[in-house]
Amino acid sequence: MLRTPVCDLFGILHPVIQGGMAHVGTVELVAAVSNAGGLGIIGSGYYQAEWVRAQIRLTKQKTQRPFGINVPLTSPYVKDVIDVILEEGVPIITTGAASPKPYISRFKAAGMKIMPVIASVSAAKHMEEAGVHAVVAEGMESGGHIGDVTTMALVPQVVDAVKIPVVAAGGFADGRGLAAALALGAQGIQMGTRFVASAECVAHSRYKQKILEATDRSTVVTGHTTGLPLRALKNSLTEQYQALEQAGVTKEELDAFGQGRMHLGLIEGDTDEGSLLAGQIAGMIKDIKPVKAIIEDTIAEAKRIIASLKNF
Ligand SMILES: Cc1cc2nc3c(=O)[nH]c(=O)nc-3n(C[C@H](O)[C@H](O)[C@H](O)COP(=O)(O)O)c2cc1C
């Protein structure tokens, strides 16, 4: 066992969290992660409340262990989604894209644990003051929407700035990463890209294959001009998107161009015209593994490394 305070906070066996991921963080992956002793998190994305309710109910059927839900607070359905989460009783919530402050008292009254995803020291402090239980410090190596500080620089600075537990995210895919995160003062890791490349994840096989083929420099960040930078594997879509950004088209035109692209790439498997969100660590991922093996291998490797460091 490799236990840290986040294991006790969330009632999980291993300090390994599956990041909430729009479209691919569904019951199949979430239940597999929670059943393997990690923390599975449903990605509610921009889905409507009744879809979220169905995912919560299915997850409860597939696992008796704790699981969480991620809510991007910019979702047009955020109010209804939060009502459903409170009605259905989900023990843990992670939030992104905005401050969860307006909802914190309701979450706490329901006994929920709140862990926002943040990308800066100031956001971490703000969240701690607002009364959350932990934060995910997510570096710019991550897949999906990102900030502008690297994991290596961000995590120790957040650890120094707050008293609540910190989970490190961005660039983790094995036990070396977990050991490094613990050395930086984090109490666990959140992985996204590694869990996409799992047997249980519903991501399209062509998208998973692109992750396996990736190198360290296969991702690109688009969307700087919209204020919502996004890391994904380079493909025809990212080239077209960059060209539009360079041409100075409006945010509305970019939004219209990007409409539906995540579903197209992640679920329908259009690897040219769809968005293939992935972190820089994709270059290290060379196999599709069952979730249980991903978690157990990560823990075993971290323990071996931590033990071997005593020789230095
Ligand atoms: C396909 C995909 C979808 C994602 N969707 C979300 C999301 O809806 N909300 C969120 O907070 N983070 C999202 N993320 C970020 C992950 O939860 C996680 O923090 C990130 O992937 C960690 O970096 P890594 O990819 O290097 O492991 C997404 C990441 C990926 C790869």
Side-chain angles (χ1 to χ4, degrees):
M1 300 294 282
L2 201 166
R3 288 193 70 80
T4 73
V6 297
C7 298
D8 300 326
L9 179 64
F10 297 136
I12 55 178
L13 299 178
H14 308 299
V16 174
I17 294 166
Q18 166 249 315
M21 293 184 281
H23 304 295
V24 296
T26 51
V27 51
E28 295 81 358
L29 180 59
V30 176
V33 172
S34 288
N35 284 334
L39 181 67
I41 299 185
I42 299 168
S44 69
Y46 281 11
Y47 281 91
Q48 294 192 26
E50 289 313 311
W51 181 92
V52 175
R53 191 192 301 281
Q55 284 289 313
I56 296 169
R57 290 188 176 175
L58 284 169
T59 304
K60 283 184 178 168
Q61 284 168 22
K62 301 273 183 203
T63 184
Q64 306 304 312
R65 292 184 181 269
F67 68 94
I69 191 155
N70 172 264
V71 182
L73 296 170
T74 43
S75 162
Y77 310 110
V78 64
K79 285 200 168 56
D80 291 346
V81 165
I82 284 175
D83 285 348
V84 160
I85 290 169
L86 289 162
E87 282 162 26
E88 296 294 321
V90 181
I92 299 150
I93 186 163
T94 69
T95 57
S99 170
K101 213 169 170 180
Y103 307 105
I104 285 180
S105 56
R106 286 173 73 201
F107 293 151
K108 284 199 159 172
M112 293 173 74
K113 298 286 187 295
I114 313 153
M115 180 166 66
V117 182
I118 53 88
S120 70
V121 167
S122 60
K125 284 165 118 172
H126 176 72
M127 287 299 104
E128 181 177 51
E129 278 160 27
V132 305
H133 299 89
V135 287
V136 178
E138 189 190 63
M140 63 176 291
E141 298 91 321
S142 298
H145 289 291
I146 55 167
D148 54 9
V149 186
T150 62
T151 302
M152 181 65 97
L154 179 68
V155 171
Q157 294 187 70
V158 171
V159 167
D160 285 350
V162 298
K163 293 191 182 64
I164 50 177
V166 176
V167 169
F172 298 107
D174 65 9
R176 293 175 293 180
L178 174 55
L182 297 176
L184 293 174
Q187 299 186 353
I189 54 170
Q190 167 166 302
M191 301 194 284
T193 308
R194 175 63 267 193
F195 281 122
V196 172
S198 67
E200 290 87 343
C201 181
V202 297
H204 197 283
S205 57
R206 283 196 291 269
Y207 163 44
K208 291 185 186 178
Q209 185 59 31
K210 287 287 176 191
I211 292 176
L212 302 191
E213 290 167 9
T215 69
D216 54 340
R217 301 189 64 228
S218 292
T219 68
V220 65
V221 181
T222 56
H224 283 298
T225 59
T226 65
L228 278 177
L230 183 80
R231 185 179 297 284
L233 295 173
K234 290 176 195 165
N235 63 0
S236 169
L237 173 71
T238 59
E239 277 172 28
Q240 294 172 64
Y241 198 97
Q242 281 180 311
L244 289 172
E245 285 195 285
Q246 274 156 21
V249 305
T250 62
K251 182 177 180 310
E252 288 66 35
E253 284 172 276
L254 284 170
D255 287 348
F257 180 74
Q259 195 67 33
R261 300 288 189 159
M262 286 190 197
H263 193 273
L264 186 63
L266 308 182
I267 301 298
E268 297 169 54
D270 186 335
T271 56
D272 296 321
E273 297 294 324
S275 182
L276 307 176
L277 307 190
Q280 290 181 325
I281 204 66
M284 199 180 79
I285 298 169
K286 296 297 168 209
D287 50 10
I288 308 287
K289 290 204 287 193
V291 158
K292 195 168 183 289
I294 292 174
I295 294 178
E296 287 178 356
D297 292 353
T298 298
I299 296 295
E301 188 181 25
K303 283 168 64 179
R304 273 198 309 275
I305 289 168
I306 291 165
S308 73
L309 289 174
K310 288 179 187 134
N311 300 330
F312 288 113

